[in-house]
Amino acid sequence: MDKRQQIDAVRNELALLLAATGGLDEAALTIPGIGEWSVREVIAHITGWALLDTRILQRLARGERPLPEGEEYGTGEERNPGYAAEARTKTAAAVIDELRAAFAALIDAAEALPEERFEQGRTAQRIMQSDGSDHMAAHRREIEEFSRRPS
């Protein structure tokens, strides 16, 4: 996929993710049901990674290394508990608003990069596909399954 296709895939998956959460009320969004997490926590997790990835794309656009010297990208096991814990202090609506804003910023950062940054195996391509569209798709399917369960 080229740059435009990767950005469009992120936009499309974001729309599907928002649609999957749209029919859930505040109570449904905040009860655990996707593993130990609620939909609110899953959304915050997706948002957290999008914010980190936005910083990386912005750094690349400035000609800098993806992360500052000494900073590690980390793993889900290291970052995810913090994303989930922070979400518990917010309404589900606020977390969804943050998701929208985070992906608007991610897309803006991607738009600022040249086409070659989106070639297979390059950082921008991995971010847009693995952390962007594929990540949202996997969690969207979990949310859709959760929302089909009887209450």
Side-chain angles (χ1 to χ4, degrees):
M1 283 196 285
D2 66 14
K3 174 182 173 176
R4 177 64 31 223
Q5 291 168 318
Q6 290 173 45
I7 291 170
D8 288 347
V10 167
R11 281 191 175 113
N12 292 336
E13 198 52 56
L14 177 61
L16 292 170
L17 178 62
L18 291 169
T21 63
L24 301 173
D25 63 16
E26 183 76 17
L29 289 164
T30 57
I31 59 170
I34 301 173
E36 295 179 3
W37 283 356
S38 67
V39 172
R40 171 182 58 189
E41 292 162 330
V42 170
I43 297 299
H45 150 82
I46 296 167
T47 301
W49 286 102
L51 293 170
L52 173 62
D53 290 336
T54 298
R55 285 184 29 234
I56 290 170
L57 295 181
Q58 290 168 337
R59 289 179 61 80
L60 291 175
R62 293 190 302 264
E64 299 170 5
R65 297 169 34 102
L67 292 171
E69 191 68 37
E71 184 177 331
E72 296 292 325
Y73 191 74
T75 66
E77 286 138 12
E78 295 166 346
R79 291 186 183 269
N80 292 340
Y83 297 147
E86 186 178 326
R88 291 181 201 117
T89 66
K90 301 174 183 175
T91 66
V95 170
I96 290 171
D97 287 345
E98 289 173 356
L99 174 78
R100 284 187 182 100
F103 276 92
L106 180 77
I107 289 167
D108 286 348
E111 294 278 11
L113 290 170
E115 181 74 37
E116 63 269 9
R117 288 288 192 171
F118 295 85
E119 293 170 359
Q120 186 64 34
R122 305 272 321 254
T123 301
Q125 179 272 324
R126 289 193 314 269
I127 284 173
M128 296 302 284
Q129 185 174 353
S130 297
D131 290 356
S133 56
D134 289 355
H135 190 211
M136 280 191 288
H139 288 304
R140 173 187 47 82
R141 288 188 291 272
E142 292 174 332
I143 292 166
E144 289 169 344
E145 182 181 315
F146 169 79
S147 67
R148 286 192 295 267
R149 292 183 204 147
S151 346

